[in-house]
Amino acid sequence: MSEVKISAETRTEFGKGAARRIRRDSKVPGVLYGHGSEPLHLTLPGHDLLLALRTPNVLIALDIDGKSNELAIPKAVQRDAIKGFLEHVDLLLVKRGEKVTVEVPVHAEGELAAGGNLLEHVLNALPVEAEATHIPESVTVSVEGLEAGASVLAKDIKLPKGTTLAVEGDTVVLQVLAAQAEEAPEGEAAEGEEVAEA
């Protein structure tokens, strides 16, 4: 996984008014925490951060005030419910070689068996443990030819080297649901006809 370098500034102003002023300058307030250290309040460039967050579990190399460099991954991102712009970000401090637990998006590929069945994503993201600098961007699962009633369990998913499940192996990730019948059952149709005749 590639690192994205972002310059950050420490901030000393807090509260809604300060956050609004930061956002007016196209910046995003954030907090960096982890490893038992005091939370560090930061101001980050909005556009750079928005681009970085397009990659799930992106590894961010923070240049803080031009003095210190830290590695972090996004832990919680708050967006405006209507406009979608970033309002606040929580970043988790990580070290090279350290294992972290994250959720990785699950992508399905292939065609289900014929019959108009539906694929349900029970989990859109799979909890895994991986080295902070080698977090997979996603995992891909083949659903080729699966019939109604079939399930894909967490333990069935092939994970990249160095990545392990952070959830029970028997957890259902995907399942195939039978197509809903469009026609009414024969018994109901027959009853309806009798009522019409009466």
Side-chain angles (χ1 to χ4, degrees):
M1 168 177 277
S2 60
E3 294 175 20
V4 177
K5 292 184 178 174
I6 292 182
S7 296
E9 302 162 357
T10 50
R11 62 185 167 97
T12 52
E13 286 188 303
F14 309 105
K16 288 185 177 179
R20 273 198 294 270
R21 281 195 295 278
I22 290 169
R23 287 193 282 269
R24 267 202 302 271
D25 289 339
S26 300
K27 295 181 179 179
V28 180
V31 178
L32 175 68
Y33 63 93
H35 291 287
S37 58
E38 285 289 314
L40 187 61
H41 296 269
L42 302 172
T43 300
L44 302 122
H47 183 67
D48 293 352
L49 185 61
L50 191 64
L51 292 177
L53 293 175
R54 287 182 179 172
T55 303
N57 301 312
V58 64
L59 187 65
I60 299 173
L62 289 170
D63 177 5
I64 302 171
D65 295 331
K67 297 174 189 170
S68 66
N69 294 293
E70 301 287 1
L71 286 178
I73 57 173
K75 204 63 185 169
V77 179
Q78 292 173 22
R79 296 177 188 269
D80 181 88
I82 297 166
K83 295 180 181 174
F85 60 76
L86 296 173
E87 290 198 321
H88 190 273
V89 64
D90 285 356
L91 299 169
L92 179 64
L93 189 64
V94 295
K95 304 284 185 197
R96 292 185 193 281
E98 176 188 8
K99 291 263 189 175
V100 291
T101 301
V102 293
E103 292 194 345
V104 177
V106 177
H107 297 303
E109 65 177 14
E111 297 291 325
L112 298 176
N117 297 323
L118 301 171
L119 181 66
E120 180 188 19
H121 281 254
V122 179
L123 292 181
N124 286 315
L126 184 67
V128 299
E129 188 180 66
E131 190 188 323
T133 53
H134 291 90
I135 298 170
E137 288 187 17
S138 62
V139 290
T140 303
V141 184
S142 173
V143 295
E144 189 66 42
L146 291 184
E147 305 270 355
S151 297
V152 176
L153 304 179
K155 65 184 178 185
D156 300 330
I157 298 175
K158 186 169 171 37
L159 298 174
K161 188 178 176 185
T163 302
T164 55
L165 286 176
V167 68
E168 290 294 324
D170 291 334
T171 302
V172 176
V173 179
L174 302 169
Q175 62 186 9
V176 183
L177 305 177
Q180 297 294 320
E182 294 289 329
E183 298 169 17
E186 286 180 23
E188 288 179 22
E191 285 172 22
E193 284 165 17
E194 285 171 20
V195 171
E197 284 172 14

